[in-house]
Amino acid sequence: MASRLQRQLQLLSAHLVVALVALVVIGGATRVMQAGLACPDWPLCYGSFLPGRQMNLQVFLEWFHRLDAFVVGIGVLVLATTAVLQRQHLPRWLPWLSSACLVLVAFQGALGALTVTLLLPAAIVTAHLATALLLVMLVSVCHQLLEAGAVPIAAEAPARSSGGPVLRAGGLVPGPGTWSRQTAPPWWPWLAGLATLLVAGQSLLGGLMATQWAASLCFSAGSGCAWLAAHRFAATPAALGVLLLAVLTAASPGWCRQQRPLTATAALLVIGQIGLGVSSLRLQLSVPGVTIAHQLGAALLLAILAALTCRGWLARALTSGPQPMSAPAPAHRAVLSPSPAEVVHG
């Protein structure tokens, strides 16, 4: 039951990561299209669930943003409720992490209501974005932990012999069937974590710049250029951190080979982000699609980096803690005619 339940929760968490990335992107599109107040009331839109008469592009963006947020909230509620009710069959960390995600979703909903009722204050909008990015990273980590897997205690012995993951009292120990027997280099999780923090800071700085319309004001009136300069300056260490992680992973053997697809994807996203950022500045933010694609790249990059950081620390945990999955094989002994006691006890 436990393994099947975990597979279902793993699938749910994967869908939640996609929905959260979409939520960030749709929220960015709502801001770019100046549709943040297209629905003047909350939580309904023009007093109804589906405003048919008032529907246009701006109203649709704001309405769909709220719909996606509602779907995400239901998904996180299902994840947290299942984790609490079935906690005896699941890893001990899952109820805590899923409950933290649920609290963030509730906080995010309150911030969403304040953005409408207080008419888009910059501080509230920025906090709304920061909470969404934190949710993306936390749910991505939750998915990685679920993907690492755990088996019921009754199946612990077969899992050890077959290379599957093992559940112990402290929680989760990935098995060599899911993660390589080789561990991550000592520097790897630290570098991945640093790259994640740099990209998160850069994304938050971009959100601060966007909520104050600093780039538009810089181009039109020459004010607010300090925010734009800070965003461009912070892009350099963030990009270098991700690219360095990708290069060192490509050059390292063993466990790092398994991470190359994700690190290469992160590097490509960074290169794409640089191109999109330069293009949006040269176009003076006149093409909404470029700006929205820039925000999509940032959300995807954070989800991938959070997953990589989680993988690195999990792999390091395999060597720093007990190694329950490499139990020695029992000695072979010849048994010509086993006694009834031997048959009963295996």
Side-chain angles (χ1 to χ4, degrees), residues 4-227:
R4 179 181 179 183
L5 179 60
Q6 278 195 223
R7 286 195 297 269
Q8 293 173 342
L9 294 181
Q10 176 190 343
L11 184 62
L12 174 60
S13 64
H15 284 84
L16 283 174
V17 173
V18 175
L20 280 166
V21 170
L23 185 62
V24 173
V25 175
I26 297 169
T30 302
R31 183 198 59 80
V32 170
M33 300 301 295
Q34 302 183 19
L37 296 176
C39 293
D41 49 345
W42 191 94
L44 299 177
C45 186
Y46 288 98
S48 63
F49 176 75
L50 180 61
R53 292 183 179 180
Q54 296 84 4
M55 186 63 73
N56 55 34
L57 178 59
Q58 290 181 317
V59 174
F60 174 78
L61 284 173
E62 175 63 11
W63 173 81
F64 192 71
H65 180 60
R66 296 184 186 183
L67 179 64
D68 191 13
F70 176 76
V71 172
V72 168
I74 294 298
V76 175
L77 178 61
V78 170
L79 178 65
T81 303
T82 305
V84 172
L85 295 180
Q86 300 292 330
R87 57 186 179 275
Q88 294 181 347
H89 305 288
L90 295 169
R92 292 184 179 181
W93 56 264
L94 186 56
W96 296 98
L97 184 57
S98 59
S99 297
C101 291
L102 185 60
V103 170
L104 280 178
V105 165
F107 182 62
Q108 181 77 334
L111 290 175
L114 290 176
T115 58
V116 177
T117 56
L118 298 180
L119 305 180
L120 304 179
I124 299 297
V125 175
T126 303
H128 194 53
L129 173 63
T131 307
L133 295 177
L134 181 57
L135 265 171
V136 169
M137 291 187 287
L138 279 182
V139 176
S140 180
V141 167
C142 183
H143 173 69
Q144 289 299 315
L145 291 172
L146 284 169
E147 189 178 39
V151 296
I153 295 177
E156 181 175 341
R160 291 183 181 181
S161 61
S162 62
V166 178
L167 184 66
R168 61 180 182 180
L172 174 66
V173 176
T178 305
W179 303 97
S180 172
R181 291 179 184 270
Q182 297 168 319
T183 186
W187 52 266
W188 203 95
W190 293 100
L191 181 56
L194 177 61
T196 304
L197 290 177
L198 289 173
V199 172
Q202 168 69 357
S203 301
L204 186 58
L205 188 57
L208 281 168
M209 182 187 71
T211 54
Q212 301 184 56
W213 301 97
S216 299
L217 290 174
C218 183
F219 293 138
S220 61
S223 60
C225 295
W227 285 107

Side-chain angles (χ1 to χ4, degrees), residues 306-326:
L308 286 170
T309 303
C310 179
R311 287 186 178 188
W313 286 114
L314 274 176
R316 293 299 303 168
L318 293 180
T319 55
S320 61
Q323 301 293 319
M325 37 188 196
S326 57

